[in-house]
Amino acid sequence: MDFYLLLLRLIHILGGVFWAGSVFMLTGFVGPAVSQAGPAGGKFMQRLVLGTRFTTVTAVAAGLTVLTGLLMYLRKLGVLGNFSVDWVSTGEGIVITIGGLAGIAALIAGALTGSTSQKLAELGASLEGPPSPEQASEIAGLQNRLSDLGVTASILLVVALISMATARYVFF
């Protein structure tokens, strides 16, 4: 039994489940509920982003998922042994490559989401009363960016998940 590969797969799968589940939950349910809740929703998001380790834990899960995926990919290529790119041209190799690239792009979208969330939370925490028209415009822009990034990350994660789940069954 290859314990190294087993450990990589466990970290990859468990991290990916947490990461994707967090993104899907935030994008599909929490974000829309926060928008509908008005100022109370903003306070909730401030608490979530600034008052918990949620964003840190999600970022660590995403990073570990991508890192372990890269290590397994390099192992499959034989980078540490007999290097061969033949596998990449197989159906499985192509689908895994697409999924891996989608996962890396989702990680980048997540990093942008994290910095935007931090900015929005800090702006909201600095307000003493209702926002000025300039602040309201900045808040709306940041909220729109968060929504767009959430949808983008969700789509990329769906591509990555489907790719990883089906790659071994693709033959051409």
Side-chain angles (χ1 to χ4, degrees):
M1 176 178 278
D2 187 344
F3 288 107
Y4 174 70
L5 186 59
L6 178 64
L7 180 63
L8 288 179
R9 284 182 60 99
L10 285 174
I11 293 169
H12 187 72
I13 292 167
L14 294 175
V17 165
F18 181 81
W19 176 25
S22 296
V23 170
F24 297 155
M25 182 71 172
L26 283 172
T27 302
F29 300 100
V30 175
V34 164
S35 293
Q36 292 172 356
K43 292 290 182 194
F44 168 78
M45 286 306 290
Q46 283 175 23
R47 205 68 168 107
L48 181 65
V49 172
L50 299 176
T52 70
R53 295 179 304 169
F54 178 75
T55 54
T56 302
V57 172
T58 304
V60 167
L64 285 174
T65 301
V66 170
L67 176 64
T68 54
L70 284 170
L71 290 172
M72 289 187 291
Y73 190 86
L74 292 173
R75 183 181 171 120
K76 193 74 167 177
L77 289 176
V79 169
L80 302 176
N82 297 328
F83 181 73
S84 172
V85 293
D86 293 340
W87 171 76
V88 177
S89 63
T90 66
E92 178 184 17
I94 291 168
V95 173
I96 289 287
T97 301
I98 291 168
L101 291 172
I104 291 168
L107 180 67
I108 293 167
L112 294 171
T113 299
S115 65
T116 304
S117 294
Q118 186 76 22
K119 231 183 266 183
L120 183 59
E122 289 171 357
L123 176 61
S126 72
L127 295 176
E128 294 178 14
S132 69
E134 282 181 355
Q135 291 169 325
S137 175
E138 185 178 359
I139 289 169
L142 290 170
Q143 288 172 332
N144 288 337
R145 184 167 190 220
L146 277 177
S147 178
D148 292 346
L149 286 167
V151 170
T152 300
S154 294
I155 291 168
L156 290 166
L157 286 169
V158 166
V159 170
L161 290 169
I162 290 171
S163 298
M164 302 301 157
T166 62
R168 71 176 61 189
Y169 306 109
V170 177
F171 303 100
F172 53 84

